Structures are given as C-alpha cells and as structure tokens.
Amino acid sequence: MAEPVRVRTDDVEEMRKQLQFNEKLKFVANKIHSANNVNEILIKLKDNILSLFDAERITIYLIDPVKKELISKYLVGTGIKEIRVPISPSSIAGYTAHAQKMVNIADVNIAADIKKIDPNLTFDGTWDKQSGYTTRQVLAAPILFENTLLGVIQLINKKTAKTFTKPDETGILSIARVLGIAFRNQAKMIRTRFDHLVSINIITDNELKSAVATAREQKKNVETILMEHYKVKKTDIGASLSQFYGCKFVEYDNKILFQKELLRGLNMAYLKNSFWVPLSSSEGKVTIIIDNPRDPKTLDIKNLIKAKQYEFQVALREDILKFLQMLETDTKETSQGAISDILADMDVKDESAMEAMAVDSAIDENAGTIVRLVNQILIDGYEKGASDIHVEPSKAKKITTVRFRIDGACINYLEIPYTHSSAVTSRIKIMSNLDISERRLPQDGKIKFIYKDKPVELRVATLPTVGGEDVVMRILASSKPMTLDALNLSDRDYKVFKEIISNPYGIILVVGPTGSGKTTTLHSALGYINTPVRKIWTAEDPVEITQEGLRQVEVKPKIEFTFAKAMRAFLRADPDVIMVGEMRDHETAAIGVEASLTGHLVLSTLHTNSAPETIVRLIDMGIDPLNFADALLGVLAQRLVRTLCKKCKEAYHPTQEEFESLATSYGKEFPELGIEYNDKLTIYKIKGCEECNLTGYKGRMGIYELLLGTKELKAVIQRRGTAEQIREQAIKDGMRTLFQDGISKVFKGYTDFKQVRSVCMNK
C-alpha cells in the first residue's frame, strides 16, 4: 500500500498566501479596469494596490509623451500636484524605465549596492532630507504593454522584512501587467484632442463641453477659449494635442530656424489661411508644422512639397501665424538689408583716388549704407548666437575683417573695404556714446537696442592698433538662468554642489577664465536656493541674467560704486545670501570671508586656473588662512568645451592605443569610471554639416572640478599648504580634475579629446 503524500505546513501556508494574493489581485484589477480615467488610477486606487504588498509607500508613474519624462500625481488638499523624473539612471524609477527591467534594492543608502545594478545609478535623498522620511528598500518594475513602456510602479520600505521577497517581485510584475493593459485601454478611449486635459483633471468634462459651445458662439478656436476662460496652460494643451495626434507639439519660439528655401513658390496668404508652414528638409524627409495633422489638406501639402517622407508636428493656429509673420518680416529685412546688397551699394574708390582726398571725412559715418551695414552686423551676430563681434582693420591687406566668436571659436564673417573702416568705427562709437575724435586711446561704452521685442546690450571696447582702430563688442542678451541639471555636472559633483549651496552660511567660489560660464553657474545655484524665505542680494558687472526674487545691483566703478561698497551696503540690508560678481581685490575678498563667518552664504567668482590655485591666490592676497578655512564650503573650477554636433557626429570604435592614451591621460583613478576596452566601446568624432557650418561642433558644455571644504582640506589650508598639497588632498576627498571630467565626457559622446586639451592642462 502506497504511503500518503505528506505536505509540509510551510508549503500549505505559502499556498494559502498565494491564493489570498490572487484573490486580492483580481479584486484590484477589476477596480483598475473600471476606473473612469488614468487620474483615478494614479490617485484614488493607490491604496488598493498598496494593500497587495506589505509596503509603506507606493508611487505610480506615467510617461509624459511630450517631455519624455516620468510623471506621477498626488493629492494635496483639493489640488493635484506632480512629480517629474527624467528617464535616466539619475533615479531608481528613471533607471527602471530606462533599462525596462525590475529593480529590487535592499538598502538605497548603500552606494555599493546601487552601483552593482548600474555604475551610473544614483539615489537622490533630497526628498528624505526635506520630509524626515527614511527610504530603505525599493522595489520597482516597468509598466509595459506589448513591449511599449507606459510607466513605472515603485514600492518603498517593506514593513516586516529587511528586503522585498521573491513573491513581492512576482506580485509587482503581475500588477504592472494589469496597469499596462489599463493604461493602454484608457489611451484608446480618447475621443477628442482635449480628452487628455479631462483625464488629468485640468478641466472637467462639463467645462470642455462649455468651452466648445463658447468657441462656436464666439467663432474662436477651442484652444483660445480654454486658455482665456479656463486658464489652461499652453503646455498642457500641447501635451493633449501631442497625445491625440501622436506627434511632437511645437510652441512659438523666434529662435527656431526655418529652411526658407522651402517657402519658394508658396503663397504666404495661402499658408496663413491653411495654417501650416514647412520647417525643414533633411535626407528626403520634410517636417511640416500644422494645426491638424489629420486634416485632408495634408494631401495638398504633399503635392506642393515633394519628399520621400513627411513628418507633421502640431502647433496652435496663433503660433503658426506668428511663425509665418516672423518669416515674412525676416524675408523683407533680408531683401532690404542683406550684407551683399549693402556692400554692393557702397561707393568704393580705388587706392589712388582715396589718397588724393581726405579719407576720414570723405565717407560719412551717418550715411545710409554705413548705418545699414553696422545694424546688419549687429543683428547677424545676435542671430548667429555670437558672444563677441570683432572689427579688425588691416592697412597691409587693405581690408577690415569682421569676425564672430561662436561657441568659443572665432570665425570670419565679413570683409569690408578698408576705405570704409573709419566710418564703420565712428558709427559704432556714436551708438556707444564714445568720442569719435579720440583715436589714440582705448575707450569703452555700451550699445542698447530692442530686437524682436527683446532687449540686447553690447559692451563695446575700442583699441588703437597699427592697422587702425579695432572694435570688440560683447553681446549681453538678457537670458534666463539654467537649471542645475542642465549644467551637466558629474553625479558626485551635482550631489555635493546641491548640498553646499543649501548651507545657511559659508563661502562658495566659482573660478575660471573670462567667458567660462561662471555667472551662468552662479545663477543656476541661486535659482536652486531662491525661495520666498530667503533674502538674496547680488552685485554684478553687468547684470546679464535676471531672476524673480533676487535683488540685483549693477556696480559702476566710474562713480566708485565697487563690489566692496556694494557688499558693505548688502550687510546693512538684512541678507541671507550674497552673490558678488568677482573678488578682484583684498578688500572685496576680506568682506566676503567676514560675511560668510557671520551667518551669511556668500557666492563669488575669481579668475584662476584651478580650484586648488584659488585658495593659494586668496591667501597670497592677504586673506587670513584660518578664517578662510573656517568659511570655505567649496570651490568649483570650470571651462567650456565645444560639443559635437548632434546631427552629424560619427560613432566609431577606438583603437587599443587610443583607449590606453585616454586612460593614461585620465590618471590612476581611471578604473573608477568603470569603462573597459571591448568590441562594443564607442566614442564619437566630428564630421561637419550645414547645421554646424561644417565645423563638426555646435554648442558648448561645462567641464568641472569641485573641491570640497572637508576637515582634512581645511587643515592643509590652515598650515598654508601649497597648491599641489591642496590638490592631492582634494583628490583624496573625491575631486575629479577638469581634465578628468573632460575625458569622462569624451567617453559619453559629448565632445572630443582635442577640445578638452584646448581648454585645460593635463594635471
């Protein structure tokens, strides 16, 4: 007789738990599928899903189709707030979406455990610090439907265990599948181009119906009514249109570059009535901006503009009309003021004729052609994104060369007959309020004008040379601050920099040569800490970036209103944070150190080559090393390198010798990057295309070294250590040098070794 099968008590208990989980899962799945919209799932059903797991918290993210980010919503009172996370290893949820695989971490505070998953993966503990909550275990899974990423589900902190278990992993994958089906079904239910606004509770269904009725009565489009009557943001409408049409949403921006040759043969009145405009053509594909990508008029477009492939991007009608108006204006300006036409209008005499007359008085600086020429040079410099305009006369060559500095490199723009050099220089002097009769001494002034509704300021300097009078104009177009994320700091530098600028007092210095982006970095830091509870004063020369909430002062050395005087005034004006444009002398530096020791956060810049050299420079200026060591939070040195053109850069597999050369240049710390030579290793090189003017480079980015004011480093400063001793200690504390940061960005495909070498030394 066969023995009865014995079932262990543990197995019975496990089966019972699994059955209970399956029943709960079925109940929750039914609730999810019966939800009216995605918002209900994201907010109201979180507790139901959380009940399946023995966890403290849950976050469900959706993909934002416009910004390609993860977005989660939570209820605050009667309002709905958002959390946005980039799809990248900068967060656990972002990595889960990026890698599209489940992640189970026993303790996020152990960096080594996180790095085992991915060398670039980090945990941002900012929210924990602000809320007092402690995140330990994290279990996250991608929400997929037929291999298409729709979102991420993330559980935080297992209540009764030290880690999430295998059954938890199975459970989260099951619920992720349910959510994937639900999200896909919700997307299919979208009937109008504004349903997305209803689904995320920006407007109600009744409000949408009312807006449609009002638009019909007033003979306006629905988008206008939503923005005017219901205060719906244009970006939210854009997200809804993008989701409905399945294409990119384009908002009006006068910096968008159109290929104007595509407009040839097209009637501007027809385009305005049809609400579309051709944007660009590349490799047989034409991109069209249109108000309705599903309108039958797309067939007419394909007959008018022949191409192998068409990409339609959606925009609001009012923005399309603005684009067309901009193109119409630009066409008129170009036809009236093109450089070639202006030069053709000039009365250029030969050399013998010019010698026979008083050259300087022969050509009037106020003549129409000279005025148009100078205006066009300024406009073209601004339009092409130049930081500086150089006017360089040469007697030997009998020409005056105009060069633009773009992305840090000078390029030839124009050659003017030498006979007109004095008139051009005098015209610029008149615009700058300078003395046109003084040609033997350097002068400096400013030009201010409005272009396309934006204020533009130029800082002008004239210098007498053997070839004539040179003019250099720096363009100071008003701009908005960049976010800290956009600075492209390394993970360590980004984390540490955020920590030190969040301190209530101390001194932080950003250093580098002129034009290395120091002011941009300082304003990014101020933007991060700029809250209503803080009083922030800045002294700048000049004010290039403005921010709401800052009290910004422009120093004027000519009337002896210096940085030092501004700082003394700030200390009487109840500051929390002081930013001073530059520590040029002992007095300014001493006041800065004193202010940082008396409970203020002080940020400033210095013209030094590296972070360690900055400390030695200040001590040599007479700053007490004991006080400075106490005050120091950190020094960020930086340079700007030209970045490879994204459109044409070429990927290639480096040789073993090239790889070893880069590794050797990096130094003994190279293994910390986790980069190994194998068949899959890829870096990039320049090629050149129309987008980058055949240079292979377009745009610039920062490379950095961040010295942290640790106890060990402060001890070196207090005993007046050399720059080399300070550097060695800073590297021990985790500092990556400028050169090392540059090489790491070569491997990431942002730039090449030639550019890194051109801006910093290998040390």
Side-chain angles (χ1 to χ4, degrees):
M1 185 175 175
E3 291 185 13
V5 177
R6 294 180 181 178
V7 181
R8 291 189 308 162
T9 306
D10 290 348
D11 292 339
V12 172
E13 181 63 21
E14 191 63 36
M15 289 171 63
R16 187 183 65 80
K17 287 182 178 179
Q18 187 61 47
L19 286 169
Q20 284 181 342
F21 178 83
N22 290 339
E23 286 299 318
K24 285 184 178 180
L25 177 62
K26 192 182 296 182
F27 172 78
V28 173
N30 289 334
K31 279 212 162 195
I32 291 171
H33 289 310
S34 62
N36 293 319
N37 51 53
V38 171
N39 228 37
E40 190 174 325
I41 298 172
L42 292 179
I43 297 171
K44 294 183 179 180
L45 297 182
K46 279 184 178 180
D47 289 340
N48 294 100
I49 300 171
L50 191 59
S51 67
L52 291 167
F53 305 94
D54 187 31
E56 292 180 1
R57 301 198 175 191
I58 183 173
T59 308
I60 301 172
Y61 295 93
L62 264 180
I63 294 288
D64 183 327
V66 179
K67 297 184 178 179
K68 305 299 181 187
E69 295 175 328
L70 293 176
I71 178 173
S72 180
K73 296 180 180 291
Y74 60 97
L75 206 59
V76 177
T78 57
I80 296 174
K81 298 290 185 180
E82 291 182 354
I83 302 172
R84 288 185 174 269
V85 175
I87 300 175
S88 72
S90 61
S91 69
I92 295 169
Y95 172 78
T96 304
H98 177 72
Q100 293 193 18
K101 63 182 182 182
M102 183 176 61
V103 174
N104 189 353
I105 303 173
D107 192 341
V108 295
N109 299 298
I110 301 175
D113 288 355
I114 292 181
K115 296 300 179 187
K116 285 178 185 176
I117 297 171
D118 187 287
N120 297 316
L121 181 58
T122 57
F123 169 68
D124 187 353
T126 306
W127 187 82
D128 278 13
K129 288 180 181 178
Q130 291 174 350
S131 65
Y133 183 80
T134 302
T135 302
R136 298 182 302 277
Q137 305 93 3
V138 173
L139 176 62
I143 299 171
L144 303 166
F145 182 83
E146 294 181 353
N147 295 323
T148 300
L149 181 71
L150 300 179
V152 168
I153 178 171
Q154 180 174 271
L155 298 171
I156 298 174
N157 290 356
K158 183 78 172 172
K159 289 181 181 178
T160 56
K162 292 184 178 179
T163 184
F164 285 102
T165 62
K166 289 292 180 185
D168 291 327
E169 292 181 356
T170 304
I172 200 171
L173 291 174
S174 298
I175 203 69
R177 280 193 293 272
V178 172
L179 289 169
I181 295 167
F183 289 161
R184 177 62 176 172
N185 290 339
Q186 289 285 345
K188 283 184 175 180
M189 289 170 63
I190 294 176
R191 300 177 305 279
T192 76
R193 61 189 189 276
F194 305 113
D195 280 5
H196 176 68
L197 299 175
V198 177
S199 72
I200 60 174
N201 280 355
I202 290 177
I203 56 171
T204 65
D205 195 42
N206 288 334
E207 286 173 335
L208 176 58
K209 290 176 183 176
S210 178
V212 172
T214 304
R216 194 178 294 118
E217 289 172 10
Q218 298 184 7
K219 295 183 180 180
K220 293 182 178 180
N221 58 59
V222 181
E223 292 90 338
T224 302
I225 298 299
L226 288 172
M227 288 188 288
E228 290 180 355
H229 292 211
Y230 298 94
K231 307 305 177 186
V232 179
K233 295 178 183 176
K234 186 187 285 189
T235 51
D236 290 327
I237 291 175
S240 190
L241 295 176
S242 177
Q243 185 165 327
F244 180 75
Y245 291 116
C247 65
K248 181 181 177 182
F249 172 72
V250 182
E251 196 170 344
Y252 175 74
D253 185 345
N254 59 16
K255 292 181 181 177
I256 291 179
L257 298 176
F258 287 80
Q259 288 181 228
K260 294 177 185 176
E261 59 268 24
L262 293 174
L263 292 169
R264 288 175 190 161
L266 296 176
N267 184 286
M268 194 64 73
Y270 162 72
L271 294 177
K272 288 178 179 178
N273 289 328
S274 302
F275 299 105
W276 65 274
V277 57
L279 174 62
S280 62
S281 176
S282 176
E283 298 177 355
K285 182 173 79 172
V286 169
T287 301
I288 307 290
I289 298 175
I290 191 169
D291 67 324
N292 182 358
R294 295 181 187 173
D295 195 289
K297 66 190 172 193
T298 56
L299 298 174
D300 295 334
I301 294 171
K302 291 177 181 179
N303 289 328
L304 290 168
I305 301 178
K306 299 295 183 183
K308 294 179 182 178
Q309 194 178 353
Y310 297 86
E311 179 190 346
F312 290 96
Q313 298 178 354
V314 67
L316 301 187
R317 286 186 171 189
E318 62 183 42
D319 283 356
I320 293 173
L321 293 176
K322 286 180 182 177
F323 281 129
L324 289 168
Q325 186 177 2
M326 178 185 76
L327 288 168
E328 201 170 23
T329 304
D330 286 353
T331 303
K332 288 178 182 177
E333 286 179 357
T334 302
S335 63
Q336 293 171 1
I339 288 292
S340 57
D341 293 341
I342 296 171
L343 292 177
D345 289 344
M346 285 183 171
D347 182 18
V348 182
K349 296 178 171 59
D350 61 32
E351 188 176 346
S352 58
M354 293 308 299
E355 286 176 352
M357 59 194 298
V359 177
D360 293 342
S361 60
I363 300 171
D364 183 6
E365 58 271 3
N366 293 312
T369 51
I370 297 299
V371 171
R372 286 166 56 206
L373 176 64
V374 172
N375 289 348
Q376 195 64 40
I377 290 171
L378 301 185
I379 289 169
D380 284 356
Y382 176 79
E383 287 279 12
K384 291 179 183 294
S387 60
D388 301 87
I389 301 172
H390 297 256
V391 181
E392 304 165 335
S394 170
K395 283 183 180 178
K397 293 182 179 180
K398 305 299 179 186
I399 57 169
T400 295
T401 304
V402 179
R403 296 196 292 167
F404 292 161
R405 184 180 293 279
I406 300 174
D407 294 336
C410 287
I411 59 168
N412 286 337
Y413 159 70
L414 177 68
E415 289 183 353
I416 302 170
Y418 186 76
T419 53
H420 291 67
S421 175
S422 293
V424 169
T425 303
S426 294
R427 176 61 192 166
I428 295 171
K429 282 184 171 183
I430 289 170
M431 295 173 74
S432 313
N433 292 319
L434 301 180
D435 183 358
I436 62 172
S437 64
E438 179 56 75
R439 298 181 181 178
R440 298 167 299 171
L441 294 173
Q443 297 184 66
D444 60 90
K446 289 181 181 179
I447 297 174
K448 293 183 180 181
F449 63 93
I450 303 293
Y451 180 64
K452 290 185 177 178
D453 298 325
K454 289 189 175 181
V456 182
E457 183 176 318
L458 291 94
R459 196 160 51 189
V460 181
T462 66
L463 297 95
T465 70
V466 293
E469 224 178 343
D470 275 33
V471 181
V472 179
M473 294 173 278
R474 168 150 288 189
I475 300 175
L476 306 171
S478 59
S479 59
K480 294 181 179 178
M482 293 174 66
T483 62
L484 278 182
D485 293 344
L487 294 180
N488 223 330
L489 292 158
S490 67
D491 292 340
R492 177 261 179 188
D493 289 353
Y494 179 66
K495 180 182 177 183
V496 171
F497 194 57
K498 282 200 301 183
E499 287 175 356
I500 62 175
I501 63 176
S502 299
N503 280 294
Y505 56 86
I507 190 165
I508 299 168
L509 299 171
V510 179
V511 303
T514 300
S516 59
K518 300 186 295 297
T519 301
T520 300
T521 299
L522 282 177
H523 271 279
S524 297
L526 291 176
Y528 182 78
I529 61 175
N530 183 9
T531 58
V533 300
R534 282 185 161 177
K535 178 75 172 188
I536 303 176
W537 287 98
T538 77
E540 303 169 70
D541 181 23
V543 175
E544 297 179 46
I545 300 171
T546 57
Q547 289 192 57
E548 283 296 323
L550 305 189
R551 308 312 301 156
Q552 296 177 261
V553 173
E554 191 165 302
V555 299
K556 301 183 185 299
K558 287 183 179 179
I559 59 171
E560 297 185 358
F561 181 42
T562 61
F563 283 122
K565 282 190 176 180
M567 288 189 74
R568 285 200 197 93
F570 291 166
L571 290 172
R572 297 190 296 270
D574 188 30
D576 293 304
V577 181
I578 294 173
M579 190 271 268
V580 57
E582 186 183 343
M583 287 189 170
R584 295 176 178 170
D585 49 49
H586 172 268
E587 185 181 13
T588 308
I591 296 170
V593 172
E594 182 184 340
S596 65
L597 289 171
T598 54
H600 306 96
L601 182 64
V602 178
L603 298 91
S604 187
T605 73
L606 212 65
H607 288 98
T608 53
N609 291 321
S610 69
E613 288 177 31
T614 303
I615 296 169
V616 175
R617 170 77 65 83
L618 285 168
I619 293 172
D620 288 346
M621 283 169 60
I623 300 301
D624 186 335
L626 295 176
N627 287 342
F628 181 64
D630 286 342
L632 181 66
L633 293 173
V635 181
L636 181 73
Q638 66 180 73
R639 300 287 189 278
L640 291 178
V641 294
R642 301 176 77 186
T643 51
L644 301 172
C645 175
K646 293 179 181 178
K647 191 172 181 181
C648 68
K649 67 178 181 180
E650 282 189 341
Y652 74 98
H653 178 60
T655 63
Q656 181 82 38
E657 292 76 18
E658 187 177 358
F659 174 80
E660 288 176 357
S661 174
L662 286 170
T664 303
S665 298
Y666 189 96
K668 62 183 179 181
E669 297 87 3
F670 183 75
E672 294 174 6
L673 291 181
I675 300 171
E676 296 180 354
Y677 188 79
N678 54 45
D679 294 338
K680 294 181 179 179
L681 181 66
T682 301
I683 56 178
Y684 292 83
K685 62 182 178 182
I686 63 171
K687 182 182 178 182
C689 64
E690 291 182 4
E691 187 78 14
C692 59
N693 292 321
L694 302 177
T695 63
Y697 302 101
K698 188 171 178 64
R700 289 190 291 175
M701 71 181 301
I703 58 174
Y704 308 91
E705 65 179 28
L706 178 55
L707 175 150
L708 187 60
T710 61
K711 290 181 181 179
E712 294 78 10
L713 190 123
K714 289 181 178 185
V716 178
I717 297 172
Q718 287 168 349
R719 61 174 181 263
R720 293 179 179 267
T722 63
E724 186 58 33
Q725 289 170 336
I726 294 170
R727 178 178 178 274
E728 288 175 3
Q729 183 58 53
I731 291 173
K732 287 179 185 177
D733 294 334
M735 183 184 82
R736 176 192 282 178
T737 67
L738 286 163
F739 200 73
Q740 289 174 336
D741 192 43
I743 291 175
S744 75
K745 284 169 180 172
V746 170
F747 281 106
K748 289 180 179 178
Y750 297 135
T751 187
D752 58 22
F753 189 54
K754 176 185 175 184
Q755 291 301 315
V756 175
R757 252 187 337 199
S758 69
V759 298
C760 60
M761 298 173 66
N762 182 10
K763 67 173 186 175

